[in-house]
Amino acid sequence: MTLRKKQILSFISIMAVIVIIVSFTGLSISDLFGNNQTEITRDDLTKTVWKLIRWGLDTAAGIAAIFFIYSGIKYMSSMGNEEEAEKAKKGMLWSAIGFVIILMSVYTMQY
């Protein structure tokens, strides 16, 4: 892959991550810090921390999904090259494992 193609792929990947972060989380600054309150209570701080953790987990899940799709595309485009196919399989495996860990973290946070 040429340097130019790598740059384009990196740019598209970064833009996709940004879109996923914005669309999946639905988190805004006003959600984090309330309605312009002057006093910050312990309850507000706790809610803010939990929202940030949840936002981080949602973002990580989106990134894991992107890597799984990317590895799947790499696997399909390996064209019989065993080495490339193995790399893609490993990428799919590790991104799936990461996704499962993230889902277990979200489930654990809820209970």
Side-chain angles (χ1 to χ4, degrees), residues 26-36 48 51-52:
L27 190 64
S28 66
I29 298 298
S30 63
D31 289 338
L32 288 176
F33 299 108
N35 299 328
N36 297 329
T48 302
K51 284 182 182 182
L52 286 172

Side-chain angles (χ1 to χ4, degrees), residues 25 49-59 106 109-110:
T25 60
V49 169
W50 281 111
K51 284 182 182 182
L52 286 172
I53 291 171
R54 179 62 193 239
W55 178 82
L57 290 172
D58 290 344
T59 303
V106 170
M109 272 184 50
Q110 291 177 351

Side-chain angles (χ1 to χ4, degrees), residues 3 5 12 16 18 23 38 47 49 51 80 98 100 106:
L3 180 61
K5 286 183 182 179
I12 291 171
I18 291 170
S23 64
T38 55
K47 286 180 185 178
V49 169
K51 284 182 182 182
V100 168
V106 170

Side-chain angles (χ1 to χ4, degrees), residues 56-76:
L57 290 172
D58 290 344
T59 303
I63 292 170
I66 288 172
F67 278 117
F68 187 83
I69 293 168
Y70 175 74
S71 295
I73 292 170
K74 291 290 283 184
Y75 179 73
M76 289 187 297

